[in-house]
Amino acid sequence: MINFHDAQYIISCPSLEFRPKDKYPEVVFLGRSNVGKSTLINALCSQKVAFASKSAGKTQYLNYFLIDKSFYLVDSPGYGFTSYGNRLDESFSDMMESYFHNPCLKGAVILFDARREKLNEDDEMLLRFLKEDKVPFLIVFTKSDVANQSELAKAKRLAESLSSDGIYFSSKGKKLDPVRSAIAKLLG
Ligand SMILES: Nc1nc2c(ncn2[C@@H]2O[C@H](COP(=O)(O)OP(=O)(O)OP(=O)(O)O)[C@@H](O)[C@H]2O)c(=O)[nH]1
Ligand SMILES: [Mg+2]
């Protein structure tokens, strides 16, 4: 049974070739910079394994966390931010595109800020990569504590337009079971 109690940081990889050599399945967390990827990983594991921060661009590489000694959660750098500017960085998209050709990858958790209304070019690109490599995904809306009702309703419609239910998450709340069971489902 997956309980997310045992979480260990393993390695930070600049590309897929540095991934651990074992064949544990993995689920990757994707989303714009500062959306709350590292925060969600910490919440799921009930401990601070991933580095979360107020400033954008904190997570730089693919960070592997071994959970329950049976699978990896992979924290990824946020897109839409680089130290040089704030457009999508080519090296980031190269890193991610090759990352998706990954037989151990069982699925992705895409995070959107619950207050965002629509997708931009970077989001579309990411969804295209996932589709090309047939990577199943689920959508989590973060920061739902600071979104209003109308924003939450729009978020739901956005998820539906991507054929997903969309799960609301707030780091201030404790409702993690829906995310945990959706991840368990991706892992099969
Ligand atoms: N109010 C609120 N703040 C949140 C929530 N989730 C994350 N944050 C805050 O958002 C900021 C960014 O969180 P991170 O988890 O570092 O975001 P990230 O997506 O990992 O960012 P990068 O690594 O830079 O791509 C931090 O200040 C968090 O405390 C949430 O559900 N509610
Ligand atoms: Mg991060």
Side-chain angles (χ1 to χ4, degrees):
M1 229 272 295
I2 305 178
N3 58 30
F4 291 84
H5 284 170
D6 182 10
Q8 267 175 282
Y9 165 75
I10 302 294
I11 196 172
S12 186
C13 311
S15 69
L16 187 58
E17 59 187 299
F18 296 95
R19 179 200 193 277
K21 295 295 170 228
D22 55 54
K23 296 275 188 286
Y24 289 133
E26 66 192 71
V27 170
V28 66
F29 285 61
L30 303 167
R32 290 178 69 79
S33 202
N34 213 242
V35 71
K37 298 173 292 298
S38 303
T39 300
L40 177 57
I41 288 176
N42 289 338
L44 288 167
C45 303
S46 315
Q47 57 175 285
K48 287 198 173 144
V49 279
F51 195 62
S53 160
K54 275 198 180 65
S55 47
K58 261 303 159 205
T59 307
Q60 304 260 358
Y61 291 130
L62 298 158
N63 292 337
Y64 279 72
F65 300 97
L66 182 61
I67 312 300
D68 297 345
K69 297 192 170 55
S70 61
F71 67 96
Y72 291 111
L73 293 184
V74 182
D75 197 4
S76 77
Y79 53 92
F81 171 88
T82 71
S83 39
Y84 319 108
N86 47 27
R87 279 292 308 155
L88 190 73
D89 177 333
E90 256 178 47
S91 62
F92 169 80
S93 66
D94 288 351
M95 172 172 94
M96 292 318 288
E97 189 173 20
S98 57
Y99 169 76
F100 292 126
H101 307 307
N102 174 358
C104 296
L105 180 63
K106 300 302 171 202
V109 179
I110 305 180
L111 287 76
F112 289 124
D113 188 313
R115 297 163 296 180
R116 280 211 34 228
E117 296 188 3
K118 48 183 193 232
L119 304 181
N120 67 15
E121 247 176 74
D122 298 337
D123 304 318
E124 302 277 7
M125 179 204 69
L126 199 68
L127 288 162
R128 214 162 44 239
F129 287 164
L130 293 173
K131 200 169 163 199
E132 278 164 13
D133 286 296
K134 300 192 173 54
V135 181
F137 63 86
L138 62 103
I139 294 175
V140 172
F141 293 105
T142 59
K143 312 195 185 187
S144 59
D145 53 299
V146 285
N148 63 36
Q149 286 306 317
S150 132
E151 288 166 332
L152 293 175
K154 281 184 191 153
K156 194 99 197 146
R157 286 202 289 279
L158 176 65
E160 281 162 8
S161 74
L162 298 170
S163 310
S164 175
D165 287 338
I167 301 172
Y168 297 118
F169 167 74
S170 157
S171 58
K172 313 275 185 259
K174 300 258 179 281
K175 283 194 279 178
L176 287 157
D177 285 350
V179 190
R180 287 191 180 123
S181 45
I183 290 174
K185 217 163 137 192
L186 289 176
L187 289 163

